[in-house]
Amino acid sequence: MRILDLLRMSSGSLLKRKFRTILTVLGVMIGTASIVVMVSLGLGINRAQMEQIERYGGLTTITVREGRNDGYYGGTVNGASVYIAGSSSSDGEVKRLDDEAIRMLQGLQHVKSVYPILTFSAIAKFGAYESDLSIQGMTPEGLEDQNIQIGEGHLPTDSSELEFFYGNKVAADFYNPKTYDYPYYSTGKYVVDLSKDTLFIIFDQSAYWSSQNDGTVQPPRKYIVPTAGVEKANEENEWSSNGYTVFCNLDALKTTLQRIFRNKVIPGQPTTAGGKPYKEIYYNRASVVVDDVENVVEVQEFINSLGYSADSNIEWIQSTKEQMANIQALLGGIGAVSLLVAAIGITNTMMMSIYERTKEIGVMKVLGCDMRNIQELFLIEAGYIGFIGGLVGLGLSYTISAVINRALAAGGEATVTSYIPPWLAIAALIFAVIIGMVAGFFPSRRAMKLSPLAAIRNE
Amino acid sequence: MAETKTPVIQVKDLYKVYRVGDTKVRALNGVEFNIYKGEFCSIVGTSGSGKSTLLNMLAGLEKPTKGQVIIGGEHMESKTENQLVKFRREHIGFIFQSFNLMATMTALENVALPLTFQGVSKEQRLKKAGELLDLVGLKKYKKHRPTQMSGGQQQRVGVARALVVHPEIIFADEPTGNLDSNTSEEVMRLMQKVVEEQHQTLVMVTHDNHLASFADRIFHIKDGKIVQIEDNRANRSGEKAAMPQQGPGTEDRVDA
Ligand SMILES: Nc1ncnc2c1ncn2[C@@H]1O[C@H](COP(=O)(O)OP(=O)(O)OP(=O)(O)O)[C@@H](O)[C@H]1O
Ligand SMILES: [Mg+2]
């Protein structure tokens, strides 16, 4: 028989028993919809989690800080034995992040880039208000990699002059030191427009506080730092990891600090045993970007073994992933049970249909319909039920998904959503057809084996 | 005449024994005969004499206990079920007592059904089916469904369906069993006519001696045995009987 004729005959006999077909389709529809909606919730939660992790510094970034070397390292990386024996390496020695260390990290396998970060805290004064700025000096590449949304101006990539780029929440942090009032939080209005107003910056905080407490001490110098730009304002309630940060160029910050604190210890920097400053400025931390998520653990362990302290989101991701797999398996399982019930429904419908059509099948066999064709007719019929049920079920899934998303959005929980990617839709449809055919397999064999004599008997 | 030709159907030493509990029912008890091309044969006997059993065995719907059924040189008893289906699809037409038309299909579609099984295109098979409905005198009933037709009309559709694949042999088990006597004669005459025109071989089972007399030869069966083979060409029933006979031996068509 021609495939087209097979399809036509199968759909014809389904249409003949409309009511029963609809009931069976209904079962498959509910089964498919429950699987798809369940999995879509799992995927939505998963995606929300991953987005959250992404916001906390991405999946491939390792943060390296200075660490206390335990004096031993011998290990293998990628099969090659590695032995680190720096001249400065001895028991209890602190491994600090200097330019040499950055270059070393840069040279490691799987490392795409390394951004050293120097942080510094300074006071900003504007009229009666002041604020503690957390300044973060970064290389131009590092700045560009932060995905900062520029509202005005440009990133402070110029290393010859110190410029500040303000995060979009910095202006909210200005307060009146006499009343401890934060105008932004009490009135909702910013007291300073960072893109226009001129701030006075005090780098030497300890001198400032002593001058405040003791009138005889000369207050430190105030500096005016040009503004490079301001971060774009957020959507309401949206959180920005950079909001409270003041970015500047790393080298510009280094030269400025060295000039201001000439021969003195720069706050936050380590000192020698005798309390004297080092010649070099050490970085507070470095972001190591790894080429692939797969290699994060390996690189992180290696950096740790060198004596530095290395952190990443990887443990978090892994535990999250396991959690997600469990949730998805559970939700999918609930859906699978309902689809199983639907499959039993298909088998039952097909068996009934075959009992009713014993004579018809017999006649077809007497008239020379191939046994394989007879089996195919019933398989296609069951497949049709699966296909239509799957299709309608998908439509229902999209509707339910939209309703859930709307309800969650209304409840303020915008991150957890039901999400149906195209692959899920296609897989669900194929799955429904396969379920239908598997459920129809036993009945179809039954039909194929029916005796043609049934047609001859005259009752 | 016919005896000099190779037969289309050869039955040799055919037995069929049913076991019901401890007792054995010998439905066929050593049957032997030949049927030649272009013949219209009827098998007649009382109820329970084994007519249907014999016909089912000829059509390959049932396996014999012992013996051979050779159709067109092929042994039916040694074929698998799949091979039998294929053989029926290509060489055999079947007319049922209870018509057995597909209830959801029109007359035209019903006649075209065997061609569907052969994989003939829709356009071609409907054209062919139309021609056959014209032949059996149902030109105006092509779009009718079985429930919209009388028994006689339904059996005409059944006849057309059996003829549509141009089978070498047509089997019919009590084709007029569900019809009144007038309609029965009509259908018998129709079968007689088409068999003659299309040079086909027809084997019909009946318990009615009058209907059996429409055939060229009559096989009398009793208790599973052929007791008499009667040549009926000289005094056939029906209009054609009056006309000069065109014996099967004079045909120029080649056997399958
Ligand atoms: N499946 C079977 N099992 C047991 N016995 C059977 C079976 N089929 C037929 N028989 C027996 O075989 C014998 C012949 O049956 P068959 O159907 O061939 O009769 P028939 O000549 O066609 O009769 P009728 O004119 O009533 O149709 C009967 O005695 C019947 O009881
Ligand atoms: Mg019978």
Side-chain angles (χ1 to χ4, degrees):
Chain A
M1 268 175 92
R2 298 183 169 214
I3 292 174
L4 203 68
D5 289 326
L6 281 171
L7 293 174
R8 205 159 20 207
M9 274 182 90
S10 293
S11 54
S13 54
L14 278 181
L15 285 176
K16 202 168 91 186
R17 284 162 260 265
K18 277 194 200 70
F19 187 62
R20 194 190 305 163
T21 303
I22 288 171
L23 286 182
T24 317
V25 162
L26 224 57
V28 181
M29 178 194 89
I30 292 167
T32 309
S34 44
I35 281 200
V36 171
V37 170
M38 293 299 168
V39 173
S40 85
L41 278 177
L43 288 174
I45 296 170
N46 196 357
R47 194 172 65 160
Q49 291 267 13
M50 285 302 156
E51 274 170 8
Q52 199 177 348
I53 290 167
E54 193 71 58
R55 253 185 282 134
Y56 281 103
L59 309 175
T60 53
T61 306
I62 300 172
T63 303
V64 180
R65 291 190 172 80
E66 63 173 32
R68 215 159 270 282
N69 195 349
D70 58 8
Y72 160 79
Y73 179 71
T76 54
V77 170
N78 295 330
S81 181
V82 176
Y83 173 62
I84 308 293
S87 54
S88 59
S89 180
S90 67
D91 274 323
E93 169 107 14
V94 176
K95 295 290 283 184
R96 297 212 168 88
L97 288 167
D98 52 14
D99 283 326
E100 198 191 330
I102 298 296
R103 269 196 296 280
M104 183 276 295
L105 290 173
Q106 186 82 68
L108 293 179
Q109 205 163 6
H110 300 308
V111 170
K112 221 164 64 183
S113 44
V114 180
Y115 309 126
I117 296 169
L118 179 61
T119 58
F120 192 81
S121 182
I123 295 167
K125 285 185 84 75
F126 178 72
Y129 302 98
E130 64 179 60
S131 173
D132 285 316
L133 302 182
S134 45
I135 299 162
Q136 186 165 319
M138 296 183 81
T139 58
E141 302 83 50
L143 285 167
E144 253 138 47
D145 214 47
Q146 290 288 303
N147 289 326
I148 299 169
Q149 305 287 311
I150 297 169
E152 253 173 86
H154 57 89
L155 289 175
T157 47
D158 185 3
S159 63
S160 59
E161 189 196 9
L162 186 66
E163 291 176 311
F164 280 169
F165 181 95
Y166 297 99
N168 56 21
K169 280 280 178 282
V170 173
D173 239 12
F174 277 79
Y175 69 101
N176 187 327
K178 294 206 175 65
T179 60
Y180 287 103
D181 173 44
Y182 284 79
Y184 175 72
Y185 295 108
S186 52
T187 67
K189 287 206 186 75
Y190 293 111
V191 289
V192 55
D193 181 352
L194 292 170
S195 57
K196 293 203 195 76
D197 296 331
T198 308
L199 304 179
F200 293 101
I201 311 291
I202 296 159
F203 287 93
D204 195 342
Q205 288 201 44
S206 60
Y208 175 72
W209 294 120
S210 10
S211 76
Q212 290 291 84
N213 299 334
D214 181 350
T216 61
V217 177
Q218 177 84 15
R221 258 190 79 175
K222 296 175 186 138
Y223 296 84
I224 294 171
V225 178
T227 300
V230 185
E231 192 190 11
K232 200 167 131 192
N234 278 341
E235 306 276 316
E236 202 178 354
N237 291 332
E238 198 193 329
W239 192 78
S240 157
S241 56
N242 300 322
Y244 291 95
T245 310
V246 178
F247 290 99
C248 68
N249 183 278
L250 180 68
D251 290 329
L253 181 63
K254 268 161 88 174
T255 39
T256 307
L257 289 178
Q258 268 162 340
R259 189 155 45 78
I260 294 170
F261 294 95
R262 196 184 306 268
N263 298 327
K264 281 193 281 184
V265 176
I266 300 169
Q269 286 290 316
T271 57
T272 61
K276 292 269 177 292
Y278 287 101
K279 269 215 299 290
E280 225 178 326
I281 290 184
Y282 294 105
Y283 303 117
N284 299 76
R285 57 180 201 264
S287 291
V288 174
V289 182
V290 178
D291 56 2
D292 196 291
V293 188
E294 302 290 308
N295 301 320
V296 171
V297 176
E298 189 189 323
V299 175
Q300 184 185 341
E301 278 173 3
F302 183 67
I303 296 173
N304 267 325
S305 71
L306 293 178
Y308 299 97
S309 141
D311 294 302
S312 72
N313 289 330
I314 201 78
E315 286 102 0
W316 185 19
I317 294 166
Q318 265 158 2
S319 73
T320 306
K321 269 189 178 161
E322 273 167 32
Q323 217 177 317
M324 283 309 112
N326 285 340
I327 293 178
Q328 282 191 36
L330 183 76
L331 295 180
I334 295 172
V337 168
S338 47
L339 200 56
L340 180 72
V341 175
I344 295 170
I346 295 179
T347 308
N348 184 44
T349 303
M350 297 304 295
M351 285 311 289
M352 274 173 72
S353 162
I354 284 160
Y355 284 131
E356 273 170 23
R357 285 151 72 186
T358 302
K359 189 146 191 156
E360 192 182 313
I361 296 163
V363 172
M364 282 166 65
K365 279 180 111 173
V366 174
L367 295 182
C369 182
D370 212 280
M371 290 169 72
R372 224 188 50 225
N373 285 156
I374 290 177
Q375 177 167 27
E376 281 161 359
L377 278 173
F378 284 90
L379 272 184
I380 291 170
E381 224 174 278
Y384 261 132
I385 295 178
F387 181 77
I388 299 167
L391 210 60
V392 183
L394 264 185
L396 184 65
S397 307
Y398 277 107
T399 315
I400 295 174
S401 175
V403 169
I404 290 176
N405 285 344
R406 187 163 298 176
L408 287 177
E413 211 165 327
T415 47
V416 182
T417 51
S418 157
Y419 163 60
I420 304 174
W423 68 259
L424 178 60
I426 293 165
L429 203 56
I430 293 171
F431 191 57
V433 173
I434 290 174
I435 285 282
M437 289 186 136
V438 168
F441 183 76
F442 173 69
S444 76
R445 283 197 72 80
R446 191 70 178 249
M448 185 178 90
K449 296 222 166 104
L450 275 179
S451 160
L453 278 178
I456 318 297
R457 286 201 189 100
N458 187 34
E459 69 262 359
Chain B
M1 272 285 281
E3 281 71 16
T4 59
K5 290 200 70 190
T6 42
V8 201
I9 303 175
Q10 280 174 279
V11 176
K12 290 181 182 168
D13 197 25
L14 196 66
Y15 287 85
K16 180 72 187 180
V17 181
Y18 292 111
R19 265 171 225 281
V20 182
D22 294 335
T23 58
K24 285 183 186 174
V25 180
R26 291 173 180 273
L28 291 179
N29 201 1
V31 175
E32 271 198 58
F33 60 81
N34 291 337
I35 291 172
Y36 300 90
K37 189 164 169 51
E39 273 190 316
F40 177 2
C41 296
S42 62
I43 300 168
V44 62
T46 55
S47 185
S49 54
K51 308 182 293 288
S52 295
T53 308
L54 176 57
L55 195 79
N56 293 345
M57 229 136 283
L58 293 182
L61 304 175
E62 250 183 305
K63 285 246 179 278
T65 311
K66 192 182 145 206
Q68 296 176 327
V69 177
I70 305 158
I71 298 182
E74 294 191 46
H75 284 262
M76 303 302 283
E77 74 279 357
S78 57
K79 283 185 187 293
T80 65
E81 201 188 346
N82 237 331
Q83 290 169 327
L84 286 172
V85 169
K86 184 168 185 286
F87 188 84
R88 282 198 296 271
R89 179 164 66 236
E90 287 162 2
H91 305 287
I92 288 174
F94 215 101
I95 302 167
F96 303 89
Q97 175 177 349
S98 47
F99 325 133
N100 283 335
L101 303 178
M102 300 287 161
T104 48
M105 295 183 181
T106 62
L108 194 68
E109 287 164 343
N110 262 296
V111 175
L113 191 62
L115 292 172
T116 313
F117 298 151
Q118 288 187 347
V120 177
S121 76
K122 191 174 182 180
E123 189 193 344
Q124 267 185 299
R125 63 179 190 244
L126 290 183
K127 183 169 166 278
K128 194 81 200 295
E131 286 169 15
L132 273 144
L133 281 173
D134 294 348
L135 183 77
V136 299
L138 288 177
K139 210 181 185 98
K140 294 203 182 96
Y141 293 87
K142 284 175 186 168
K143 293 279 170 258
H144 285 233
R145 288 178 201 282
T147 48
Q148 299 160 338
M149 287 185 284
S150 74
Q153 288 165 337
Q154 286 188 55
Q155 195 58 303
R156 283 164 188 269
V157 176
V159 172
R161 180 174 67 181
L163 289 167
V164 77
V165 293
H166 268 297
E168 276 93 333
I169 305 156
I170 300 159
F171 292 111
D173 192 351
E174 312 250 16
T176 59
N178 288 8
L179 303 175
D180 64 46
S181 56
N182 278 343
T183 322
S184 292
E185 291 216 9
E186 250 174 60
V187 171
M188 289 310 298
R189 256 180 236 115
L190 170 72
M191 295 205 303
Q192 215 176 31
K193 181 187 103 179
V194 291
V195 164
E196 205 138 294
E197 283 177 1
Q198 318 247 330
H199 311 297
Q200 265 152 340
T201 313
L202 173 64
V203 181
M204 181 189 76
V205 158
T206 178
H207 60 262
D208 184 323
N209 279 316
H210 171 61
L211 294 176
S213 65
F214 281 80
D216 299 327
R217 285 200 294 159
I218 305 168
F219 294 63
H220 293 272
I221 185 167
K222 196 180 174 216
D223 296 333
K225 277 184 178 147
I226 305 284
V227 289
Q228 188 198 348
I229 301 177
E230 182 187 340
D231 200 314
N232 191 44
R233 271 173 255 267
N235 43 15
R236 268 194 344 181
S237 300
E239 288 161 42
K240 298 267 177 188
M243 294 180 179
Q245 273 306 294
Q246 197 182 39
T250 60
E251 280 172 28
D252 47 17
R253 255 177 63 160
V254 187
D255 281 8

